[in-house]
Amino acid sequence: MYEDYFIKEVIPLIDKEFNTIKTKEGRYIGGISAGGYAALHNSFRHQDMFSKVGGHMPAIELTLEKEDTPYFEDMSVWEKYDPITVAKNNEISKDIKVYLDAGNEDEGHFYEGCKILQDILDKKQIVSQNHIYEGHHNGAYIISNLEKYLEFYNS
């Protein structure tokens, strides 16, 4: 329900309350860790709404650990939102720009998921970049790369 809430309620409220550019060209989405995962799947599933997406150490799981199993008893639910599966099985607009990054010591090894996603995007000729920077899966990593993120969104 988070996706419905975000797309159908939060974005329209922001557009109503603030002086925004209410087109795809004026709207970017990005997130950190689970938020990076959500940013990627929201942008791929709602391509008419976003022109740039940043997945900053996005929590793209390649294997589901035992503790995750109860959340995904129905794997079709997982596949509906997994950015890798969504990108692989759907057409992705050539208008979107994608920025992926993760630390070389990321405890979740999310740089591996970023690499797989980057390869899919490359094959589909989507403008994208994937960076592996120094660091772990933590706030210090994000702070050390914040300027790079802002350059991406501002370019």
Side-chain angles (χ1 to χ4, degrees), residues 4-155:
D4 288 344
Y5 171 67
F6 180 66
I7 298 295
K8 295 177 182 175
E9 295 184 37
V10 172
I11 291 174
L13 177 66
I14 290 170
D15 284 345
K16 179 182 170 196
E17 296 293 323
F18 299 98
N19 185 19
T20 62
I21 300 171
K22 297 168 181 60
T23 64
K24 170 183 179 159
E25 293 73 29
R27 187 174 290 120
Y28 312 150
I29 185 172
I32 299 165
S33 193
Y37 169 96
L40 290 165
H41 87 71
N42 276 305
S43 66
F44 294 162
R45 288 172 46 84
H46 302 277
Q47 296 177 46
D48 59 320
M49 295 188 73
F50 306 100
S51 60
K52 290 185 182 181
V53 58
H56 310 297
M57 50 184 207
I60 300 173
E61 296 267 354
L62 298 179
T63 59
L64 296 177
E65 301 296 328
K66 240 183 187 171
E67 67 247 20
D68 290 338
T69 304
Y71 297 107
F72 302 107
E73 290 176 1
D74 179 355
M75 286 307 289
S76 68
V77 173
W78 170 256
E79 292 168 352
K80 181 178 177 181
Y81 298 102
D82 172 44
I84 291 173
T85 305
V86 174
K88 187 187 312 181
N89 295 334
N90 296 282
E91 186 141 346
I92 303 295
S93 170
K94 300 228 187 301
D95 294 339
I96 195 164
K97 292 179 177 63
V98 181
Y99 186 104
L100 302 168
D101 72 279
N104 63 340
E105 297 184 64
D106 187 300
E107 291 75 6
H109 300 269
F110 295 133
Y111 50 83
E112 294 172 2
C114 287
K115 171 73 172 110
I116 291 168
L117 182 55
Q118 174 68 31
D119 290 346
I120 293 166
L121 296 172
D122 279 349
K123 286 179 187 162
K124 293 185 176 226
Q125 300 177 329
I126 305 303
V127 176
S128 59
Q129 47 187 297
N130 182 29
H131 302 278
I132 299 177
Y133 298 122
E134 292 286 323
H136 293 271
H137 193 88
N138 59 23
Y141 171 83
I142 294 299
I143 291 167
S144 69
N145 293 294
L146 193 57
E147 189 173 321
K148 295 170 189 143
Y149 305 158
L150 295 176
E151 286 174 13
F152 167 74
Y153 295 113
N154 193 41
S155 64

